[in-house]
């Protein structure tokens, strides 16, 4: 999420969510903290979206609920945002579909959408002009000279801005570590063409549902080989439906079939498009691989094509899915074996091309690990941007600029807001720390009831444990813990005022006892009931 | 772990541990189940080790404690096993150091160690001959024609066995998906030479401590450039000490310095060798990157070289370490940028070379994901092994063979035994399921005390939660849960016999209530104290 501010006007570019880090146990989603925006809610003139991937639109329902305004994007992007707003029942957001090269006037900002190639249809860069100058946000892009839809990244418009003068360029950095060019989608098309020619049974393709162009290419190939198309998996079904409804995806009448009638067709007349290309536990391909799918059982004659590369962190999951598919006897084709996937992001030479076209005065690398932004800064410097005109931004860092100055402003409150179920922001460090603790060694509860007036133990101590040890086979450790607590109670005052200290003693001594005995550190939870 | 059995003789090759999978929460280590071996403990003639990596020796203290016998391996391997046995206080194991080409007679098995190159010194394949024929276990290997120590994989001995006739070849499959050859360590040496020539400040290298040859190469380079060597990190200090004590690592008198005197030397006269090349949370480099190291603060003039590639699953951790180092201003060199690492495993052409030398009758791909073993089988078939002479082994599958037959025997009990602290095998599915549940949404305890005789509630219901929600800001949900339980109690029989059902009702209704309210599913734990 990028916020642009000129006098009393604010516009926001993108509104993404990210997946929780491994230590954010139980968290579903991480969205941006918009404390700063909330303080200036009246200044927001609109939200602009570069494209419809989750890391650019995933937080929209949460953010637009709190800070509603007009939203702008191309057809597919808006359709995907709409899907999201409907799912979360956020209503009354005025939605504006733009065409590439359209210009939207928002307060003193004039914003032009510029078509770029990416792994989703309808991706755009945005050129934002205000009295201080023009800033170009690249969005996510690559320069594919032979894209599936024939629309090459709009180099002319980038060139036009470069000629007019660009104050600052915010360019994505995902693939800046890779030299050369990203291969064209055409290559992927050729691979699929060959695979369809070979396949004797069903072809099952797992990929991201949002890569509509690749989907179209695969479906066109399938139909050429006489195969009907069946979508399996929630996001595959939803996104393909949306894409068809707006004309981004075209399947001739009669060639789309339902999962329920799949077996009515011979195996060599079927293409299944499904989710799970990252080995996600609940997705279509994962269920098929573990023979847990309700409707589709993998057969030895199936050819399974995984058209993606693992996102860092997912390698193990997808690797297990592939192993399982092999075990079921299927033929599995994945990116290490054949060119069934290309990246959606520009490599070094493509990035340089955009720099050369845009010729910005200031350069701000965005969208990537810190090390990538750092390397992107080096690249920009090599292309002639003086180092004092480059800023590697930290989250929440205000950057002030005009033709004369590039300066760091204040640091506004930022950070990830954790979403867990319906709760937004109610899971913080304490809760996460407890989840982490519980996940490692479980817990051990010591319950007792004390008659406060008589200062007498009336029940317990009872020991209850979960996730600590298999109790049935380890009764001695539970028994001796109980005995230890009895001893602590015998030598302690049971007076009401002493209960906090008593609890602490139980916690400390039980902790020490258990750790000595078995080198584990469960959460110890003493509970005293007042009778 | 491979078990070979001929009549009443058993030998075991390797005894490794693996890291727990992500869903094995809180587990430290996974070791093999040796139920089968325990039943034939008297038949065990000895344990042979191919090399000293954790996945080949990590389980030794646990296994040798239960099923002790003689152990055999090269100098470094035995030294590393010894370190482990001492740490776990396993005593009385007769240890035998072998030289490559040595043959050990164990019952009717005659076992020859064959030198191979790998990312640890002292690695060997093992040729095992008994009256049924010869089986060769490749161990982990590559064919490096210019290894640091000058000792090329012993092709002659493999050739000799190939000429005599090999019954079966068990060959590792780690890199079978990669075409061509693994680059020589010489390349890594050249890169380091260049980097030392450039470095103006301290050089800090993170790598696996066990790669003694690479360590020697880096240290030799450092000394040539007038740098003293300082080891930081527990396994780096321990392993280098062991390697020096057995003469595998040589550092001239006076060139090894202690961490405490590091700052007495100018920055350009220092080489630090440390752990953490995988971004492990407690390791040297990770602490330095997060500015948490007691003795070493990263400086802008430091050159940090990460001489490894991420093991699948560790990408994110190492990526964060690199980002942090960049933030501190250090120059960071890692495998994507320069050839500071090569794999320790053979690629396709090297694997083919061994197949061509050994010319086995039967082929059994081992050591790799199922998909890799499957592809290795295809490779062997392409090299002339008939498909009926190839078996892709499943864990615990007995394979029976002689010159006439290759057959699948019984399936013996196997699987991972989980080690958590001092407990071995006491964490099973129930405990893991509870840890998983607790880690996702925490827990909510409902405690009450009932007077069994009077069938009367005498205390509670009290609600205690951990890892569920930030209670201070969400008192209403706790209060309304308490109210709900009160209502359940009011309409329930408090008779002792009814308590199990009462607990179930509380569990179900609270679960439903919480899920409706906030779409979370904490573990609900009703506890009734009998007063």
């Amino acid at each position: 999420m990028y916020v642009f501010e000129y006098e009393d006007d604010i516009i926001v570019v993108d509104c993404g969510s990210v997946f929780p880090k491994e230590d954010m146990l139980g968290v579903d989603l991480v969205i941006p903290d918009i404390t700063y925006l909330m303080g200036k809610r009246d200044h927001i003139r609109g939200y602009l979206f570069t494209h419809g991937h989750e890391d650019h639109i995933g937080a929209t329902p949460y953010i637009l609920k709190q800070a509603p305004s007009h939203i702008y994007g191309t057809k597919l992007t808006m359709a995907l945002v709409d899907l999201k707003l409907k799912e979360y029942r956020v209503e009354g957001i005025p939605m504006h579909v733009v065409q590439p090269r359209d210009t939207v006037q928002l307060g003193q900002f004039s914003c032009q959408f510029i078509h770029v190639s990416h792994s989703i249809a309808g991706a755009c860069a945005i050129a934002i002009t205000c009295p201080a100058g023009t800033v170009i946000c690249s969005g996510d892009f690559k320069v594919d000279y032979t894209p599936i839809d024939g629309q090459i990244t709009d180099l002319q418009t980038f060139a036009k801005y470069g000629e007019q003068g660009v104050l600052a360029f915010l360019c994505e950095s995902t693939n800046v570590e890779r030299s050369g060019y990203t291969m064209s989608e055409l290559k992927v098309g050729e691979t699929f063409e060959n695979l369809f020619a070979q396949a004797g049974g069903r072809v099952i393709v797992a990929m991201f549902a949002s890569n509509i162009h690749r989907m179209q290419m695969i479906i066109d190939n399938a139909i050429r080989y006489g195969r009907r198309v069946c979508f399996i998996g929630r996001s595959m079904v939803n996104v393909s439906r949306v894409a068809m409804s707006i004309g981004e995806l075209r399947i001739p009448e009669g060639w789309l079939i339902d999962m329920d009638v799949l077996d009515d067709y011979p195996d060599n007349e079927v293409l299944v498009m499904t989710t799970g290309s990252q080995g996600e536990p609940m997705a279509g391909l994962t269920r098929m691989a573990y023979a847990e799918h309700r409707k589709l059982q993998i057969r030895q004659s199936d050819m399974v094509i995984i058209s993606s590369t693992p996102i860092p962190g997912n390698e193990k999951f997808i690797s297990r899915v592939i192993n399982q598919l092999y075990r079921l006897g299927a033929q599995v084709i994945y990116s290490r074996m054949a060119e069934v996937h290309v990246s959606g992001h520009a490599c070094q030479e493509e990035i340089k091309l955009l720099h050369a076209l845009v010729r910005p005065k200031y350069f701000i690398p965005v969208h990537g690990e810190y090390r990538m932004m750092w390397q992107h800064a080096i690249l920009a410097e090599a292309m002639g941007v003086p180092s004092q005109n480059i800023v590697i931004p930290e989250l929440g860092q205000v950057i002030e600029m005009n033709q004369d100055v590039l300066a760091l402003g204040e640091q506004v409150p930022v950070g990830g807001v954790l979403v867990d179920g319906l709760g937004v922001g109610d899971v913080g460090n304490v809760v996460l720390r407890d989840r982490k603790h519980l996940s490692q060694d479980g817990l051990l509860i010591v319950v007792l009831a004390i008659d406060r007036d008589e200062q007498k133990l009336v029940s317990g101590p009872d020991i209850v444990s979960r996730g600590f040890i298999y109790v049935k086979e380890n009764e001695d450790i539970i028994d001796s813990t109980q005995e230890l607590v009895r001893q602590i109670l015998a030598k302690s005052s049971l007076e009401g005022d002493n209960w906090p200290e008593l609890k602490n003693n139980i916690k400390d001594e039980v902790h020490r006892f258990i750790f000595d005995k078995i080198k584990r550190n469960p959460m110890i939870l003493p509970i005293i009931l007042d009778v």
Side-chain angles (χ1 to χ4, degrees), chain A:
Chain A
M1 174 187 272
Y2 306 101
V3 173
F4 294 86
E5 197 167 359
Y6 184 80
E7 292 178 350
D8 280 349
D9 293 322
I10 285 182
I11 57 170
V12 180
V13 172
D14 289 341
C15 224
S17 60
V18 293
F19 290 116
K21 290 197 285 182
E22 325 71 52
D23 56 357
M24 296 176 179
L25 295 169
V27 172
D28 301 322
L29 207 65
V30 184
I31 60 171
D33 180 341
I34 56 164
T35 308
Y36 177 78
L37 271 186
M38 290 304 284
K40 298 191 167 188
R41 218 165 4 158
D42 298 343
H43 297 186
I44 303 173
R45 306 291 165 240
Y47 293 82
L48 308 155
F49 295 92
T50 58
H51 63 285
H53 278 151
E54 288 298 315
D55 53 340
H56 295 256
I57 68 165
T60 42
Y62 304 97
I63 306 299
L64 289 173
K65 197 180 212 168
Q66 295 178 70
S69 182
H70 292 255
I71 62 174
Y72 302 84
T74 57
K75 209 161 49 171
L76 180 65
T77 311
M78 286 298 95
L80 292 171
V81 170
D82 190 43
L83 207 62
K84 232 170 241 300
L85 296 180
K86 289 216 172 88
E87 189 185 337
Y88 289 84
R89 296 192 193 138
V90 180
E91 284 162 7
I93 304 295
M95 187 175 292
H96 308 272
V97 171
V98 301
Q99 298 288 332
R101 294 207 177 177
D102 276 2
T103 297
V104 175
Q105 192 68 38
L106 297 170
Q108 296 179 79
F109 289 106
S110 155
C111 311
Q112 185 173 25
F113 285 79
I114 310 170
H115 169 74
V116 295
S117 291
H118 185 42
S119 46
I120 187 169
C124 283
I126 304 176
I128 300 164
T129 305
C130 72
T134 296
V135 174
I136 294 185
C137 295
S138 73
D140 291 354
F141 77 99
K142 59 177 174 177
V143 181
D144 186 342
Y145 296 118
T146 50
I148 305 289
D149 65 343
Q151 300 295 316
I152 297 174
T153 291
D154 185 357
L155 304 175
Q156 288 75 11
T157 301
F158 284 107
K160 183 195 79 179
Y161 279 104
E163 191 62 24
Q164 288 171 5
V166 171
L167 186 63
F169 186 31
L170 276 67
C171 185
E172 70 128 327
S173 314
T174 313
N175 273 353
V176 74
E177 291 177 306
R178 298 200 201 161
S179 59
Y181 280 90
T182 294
M183 266 196 320
S184 170
E185 281 282 336
L186 198 65
K187 259 281 178 229
V188 180
E190 286 166 14
T191 310
F192 270 92
E193 173 96 48
N194 291 337
L195 291 173
F196 276 110
Q198 286 165 36
R202 295 184 297 193
V203 175
I204 299 169
V205 177
M207 59 174 288
F208 284 120
S210 59
N211 198 339
I212 306 293
H213 289 155
R214 185 175 300 168
M215 209 191 282
Q216 182 75 63
M217 176 273 289
I218 294 170
I219 289 170
D220 290 348
N221 261 304
I223 291 175
R224 217 161 29 244
Y225 282 89
R227 290 175 185 269
R228 318 267 152 172
V229 180
C230 173
F231 293 111
I232 295 186
R234 200 172 79 101
S235 72
M236 189 55 80
V237 170
N238 287 345
V239 174
S240 63
R241 189 174 296 154
V242 164
M244 284 187 286
S245 76
I246 60 171
E248 281 280 359
L249 182 68
R250 281 167 297 274
I251 302 178
E253 189 69 30
W255 286 85
L256 184 63
I257 59 171
D258 194 83
M259 186 159 61
D260 291 321
V261 298
L262 203 55
D263 286 338
D264 298 349
Y265 294 85
D267 281 2
N268 63 354
E269 292 182 14
V270 164
L271 165 71
V272 172
M273 303 284 293
T274 187
T275 51
S277 64
Q278 295 292 320
E280 306 94 323
M282 293 315 202
L285 187 67
T286 313
R287 287 176 188 266
M288 294 173 201
Y290 287 95
E292 284 168 0
H293 199 278
R294 289 176 299 120
K295 303 273 181 172
L296 192 149
Q297 281 80 44
I298 292 289
R299 300 182 186 147
Q300 298 225 351
S301 55
D302 288 340
M303 176 189 278
V304 179
I305 306 172
I306 300 171
S307 178
S308 74
T309 46
I311 294 172
N314 291 346
E315 293 84 355
K316 284 189 178 182
F317 302 108
I318 186 64
S319 168
R320 274 178 221 145
V321 166
I322 295 173
N323 289 336
Q324 285 300 327
L325 291 167
Y326 270 121
R327 283 208 168 85
L328 296 175
Q331 186 183 1
V332 193
I333 315 280
Y334 50 101
S335 60
R336 249 186 215 207
M337 301 171 69
E339 285 164 350
V340 289
H341 176 74
V342 295
S343 171
H345 298 274
C347 289
Q348 282 170 10
E349 295 308 308
E350 295 154 86
I351 293 175
K352 286 182 196 164
L353 170 58
L354 240 66
H355 276 264
L357 288 169
V358 170
R359 296 190 302 195
K361 179 163 184 160
Y362 306 133
F363 173 63
I364 301 170
V366 294
H367 212 288
E369 305 277 335
Y370 189 86
R371 67 168 199 274
M372 300 170 187
M373 299 200 277
W374 195 87
Q375 287 175 38
H376 201 165
I378 303 285
L379 179 151
E381 218 180 317
M383 291 201 53
V385 184
S387 69
Q388 68 273 19
N389 283 5
I390 300 175
V391 175
I392 301 181
E394 290 281 352
L395 223 57
Q397 175 67 63
V398 173
I399 299 170
E400 297 171 342
M401 57 178 135
N402 61 26
Q403 298 298 339
D404 306 318
V405 197
L406 174 73
L408 295 184
E410 61 172 327
Q411 171 74 38
V412 306
V414 281
V417 172
L418 310 189
V419 178
D420 178 6
L422 294 184
V424 178
D426 61 354
V427 168
N429 287 336
V430 175
V431 171
L432 286 181
R433 199 188 56 209
D434 284 349
R435 286 184 186 174
K436 176 83 187 167
H437 190 168
L438 290 166
S439 77
Q440 290 304 300
D441 287 313
L443 90 155
L444 196 143
I445 307 171
V446 179
V447 215
L448 39 121
I450 297 178
D451 184 324
R452 188 188 282 267
D453 299 331
E454 309 251 327
Q455 300 179 19
K456 203 182 93 191
L457 181 71
V458 291
S459 182
D462 286 5
I463 308 283
V464 178
S465 92
R466 286 291 186 279
F468 163 52
I469 203 165
Y470 191 55
V471 173
K472 282 200 182 141
E473 290 174 1
N474 293 277
E475 279 177 10
D476 56 329
I477 197 166
I478 301 294
D479 291 347
S480 45
T481 304
Q482 199 171 23
E483 182 50 37
L484 172 74
V485 178
R486 270 195 207 105
Q487 287 166 18
I488 299 170
L489 291 169
K491 67 186 183 198
S492 305
S493 153
L494 301 186
E495 199 191 327
D497 291 350
N498 193 46
W499 289 4
E501 196 186 320
L502 180 58
K503 281 191 197 174
N504 270 337
N505 286 347
I506 292 175
K507 214 170 181 167
D508 292 347
E509 296 204 30
V510 171
H511 169 263
R512 201 158 34 231
F513 174 74
I514 298 276
F515 190 80
D516 280 352
K517 195 133 184 163
I518 191 165
K519 292 277 180 292
R520 279 183 212 166
N521 176 27
M523 182 184 281
I524 314 287
L525 215 55
I527 301 176
I528 302 179
L529 276 185
D530 184 356
V531 176

